[in-house]
Every structure is written in C-alpha cells, then in structure tokens.
Amino acid sequence: MLTNENRQTLIAKAVQAYHQAYAPYSNYAVGAALMAESGKIYDGVNIENAVYPLTVCAERVAIFKAVSEGERSFSTIAVVTKNGGTPCGSCRQVMAEFNPEATVLIANLKGELVGEYLVKELLPSAFGDADLEEARE
Ligand code: THU
C-alpha cells in the first residue's frame, strides 16, 4: 500500500538524487527514485551528453538500474524537478513496460507533492507486450 510515509521517503530520495544530475547543457536537473518489487529503492538522474540526443532521463536511469539488478516491476516512482515537470513520452513508455499500474509522484525541490498519476493515465492505450504476441506465434 502506498502510504504518505512511502511517498515522502521516495520523494526525499529523488530530491537527494537531483543534486547528482549531470545536466550542463539544459541546466534542468531531474531526480527520480522508485520502489522496486523487491522493496529496494533505486534512484536516477538525467545524464546529458555534448551529443544532445544521447541524453538519458532520470526516470529511465532509475528503471534501468533496477532492471539490471534483476528487478522486473516497480510500484511507485517519484520524479523531482525545480518546477514539478512531468515525465517525457519515452519515459512513460519505459514505465509502462515494467508496470502500467505503477504510481508516478511528481514533486518539486521543496519535496512538495504537486501531482500523482498512474502510468496508464499518463500513457493511455500504450503499445506493449500483448501487441507483439501474434508476431511471436
Ligand atoms: N528530462 C528528464 O530527465 N526526465 C523527463 O521526463 C523530462 C526531461 C531531462 C532530459 C534533459 O536532460 C533535461 O531534462 C531537459 O530536457
């Protein structure tokens, strides 16, 4: 169950992570923290590159860290920015891969919750595993 205490814990981790963001080009730092199925928390930051399109968002870094440690699902992800920005489309798609029912907490740098959504609300009618079933037969 997602309690206010869980919310605050994840948001605090994402605020901490925020300060490790590598965003010299946009100067827009993002921190993320997720609760994985094992109960472990994984964080992530945006990592930019002089070749701009190689940038990876904080949400995907957190998810990829978790998946590379063996996790396959997460229940909640907190995303922290200065102004409470919401996840980009690519991150929504990657979130949907690992749990369309997950909760997305949007918070600002003060740790205030400014939005709360389900992944499936942020990405309705997502393309997914089921769409590939026929092709795999
Ligand atoms: N960014 C994220 O990390 N997550 C998002 O969902 C939106 C955008 C990053 C990418 C880039 O480093 C900076 O924010 C500006 O787009």
Side-chain angles (χ1 to χ4, degrees):
M1 204 190 60
L2 181 57
T3 62
N4 275 339
E5 200 186 329
N6 299 153
R7 284 182 180 85
Q8 280 319 311
T9 301
L10 277 181
I11 290 171
K13 291 273 183 197
V15 170
Q16 254 177 25
Y18 172 96
H19 297 287
Q20 311 289 348
Y22 178 72
Y25 305 106
S26 72
N27 208 24
Y28 187 78
V30 185
L34 64 81
M35 172 65 71
E37 60 187 339
S38 68
K40 242 180 105 174
I41 293 175
Y42 296 83
D43 62 16
V45 298
N46 52 330
I47 303 173
E48 298 188 345
N49 193 282
V51 179
Y52 296 173
L54 300 186
T55 292
V56 186
C57 295
E59 298 90 322
R60 274 177 289 152
V61 169
I63 292 169
F64 294 158
K65 280 169 73 175
V67 171
S68 71
E69 294 297 319
E71 308 283 359
R72 289 296 180 266
S73 186
F74 67 101
S75 58
T76 312
I77 184 167
V79 184
V80 165
T81 58
K82 219 177 256 179
N83 59 355
T86 56
C88 81
S90 298
C91 289
R92 293 175 194 209
Q93 179 67 31
V94 171
M95 288 175 191
E97 178 75 23
F98 296 104
N99 188 8
E101 306 286 336
T103 300
V104 182
L105 306 173
I106 306 298
N108 62 26
L109 208 42
K110 290 185 219 154
E112 295 164 338
L113 182 68
V114 296
E116 180 166 335
Y117 309 92
L118 296 178
V119 170
K120 66 183 181 188
E121 292 168 348
L122 293 178
L123 191 66
S125 309
F127 184 87
D129 178 54
D131 296 296
L132 293 171
E133 232 149 68
E134 218 173 281
R136 278 198 302 254
E137 274 166 15

